[in-house]
Amino acid sequence: MEKIKDIMSKKSVVFKEDSSIKDISKKMGKIDVGCAVVVRKSKPVGIITERDIVKRVVAKDLDVYKTRAKDIMTSPVETINPEANIYYVAKIMKEKGYKRYPVAKNGKYVGLVTQGDLINYFTEQRRKFVLKNLSKKIKNKYVWLTKITRNFSS
């Protein structure tokens, strides 16, 4: 069974509720991620996206040094178990309009699954399916084309 723990992003930004938006933004930019998960004793209690920072801080001329995560985070935040089925999580994310979904095990934050993670997974599954079902002659052309297109998208 395909589990969310196999595709989730482990590269994420985690901060406490009293962290400044300046520190959070700086870290998000440094590791090139679109959100930060806010935790209390390792338990996810909120999430802050780039859009939250723009709309709730910058657009309102708030001081990024004084504004804290707890002031702008979306809370409460729902989490998913790392053992959850990938297809189930994709369905939930689509139904609820989630772009990011914090993953927690026994209440403790362990990672984040994003729409990008799901797209990458489903794209790879489709590629495997196509390769499995193509004739050898066509398969060689397909493999060659996918290598070329990957080079362009990198």
Side-chain angles (χ1 to χ4, degrees):
M1 179 166 85
E2 299 101 343
K3 297 179 181 181
I4 212 66
K5 70 180 180 182
D6 299 325
I7 69 161
M8 70 183 188
S9 302
K10 291 162 186 91
K11 177 178 92 169
S12 58
V13 176
V14 180
F15 278 91
K16 294 182 179 176
E17 296 169 284
D18 62 346
S19 300
S20 74
I21 298 307
K22 175 67 175 176
D23 291 341
I24 294 170
S25 300
K26 200 171 188 177
K27 181 76 173 212
M28 286 171 62
K30 183 177 182 180
I31 66 170
D32 195 28
V33 294
C35 75
V37 176
V38 182
V39 298
R40 182 185 310 133
K41 297 181 182 176
S42 300
K43 180 183 190 267
V45 293
I47 193 165
I48 298 173
T49 65
E50 293 166 319
R51 184 175 180 178
D52 293 334
I53 293 169
V54 170
K55 291 183 79 171
R56 298 176 185 171
V57 180
V58 177
K60 294 181 178 180
D61 289 324
L62 298 180
D63 186 334
V64 293
Y65 293 97
K66 292 180 181 175
T67 306
R68 302 292 165 201
K70 64 184 174 191
D71 301 329
I72 71 156
M73 68 184 186
T74 299
S75 182
V77 65
E78 187 176 324
T79 62
I80 193 75
N81 188 294
E83 299 295 321
N85 179 278
I86 291 170
Y87 294 89
Y88 170 76
V89 174
K91 179 180 179 278
I92 296 297
M93 288 178 72
K94 182 178 185 238
E95 288 172 357
K96 295 188 176 192
Y98 293 169
K99 293 179 179 136
R100 300 161 184 92
Y101 208 166
V103 181
K105 183 175 184 173
N106 300 323
K108 306 249 185 224
Y109 179 75
V110 295
L112 187 73
V113 65
T114 66
Q115 285 179 338
D117 297 327
L118 293 170
I119 289 168
N120 291 338
Y121 172 78
F122 290 123
T123 300
E124 182 60 20
Q125 294 305 305
R126 176 68 180 165
R127 187 188 71 77
K128 288 177 183 177
F129 173 81
V130 168
L131 284 174
K132 180 181 173 188
N133 293 291
L134 286 176
S135 70
K136 187 170 182 150
K137 182 179 176 184
I138 296 173
K139 188 183 292 188
N140 290 336
K141 287 182 182 178
Y142 181 81
V143 170
W144 179 77
L145 283 172
T146 57
K147 284 180 182 176
I148 289 173
T149 56
R150 283 187 187 158
N151 289 338
F152 286 120
S153 65
S154 296

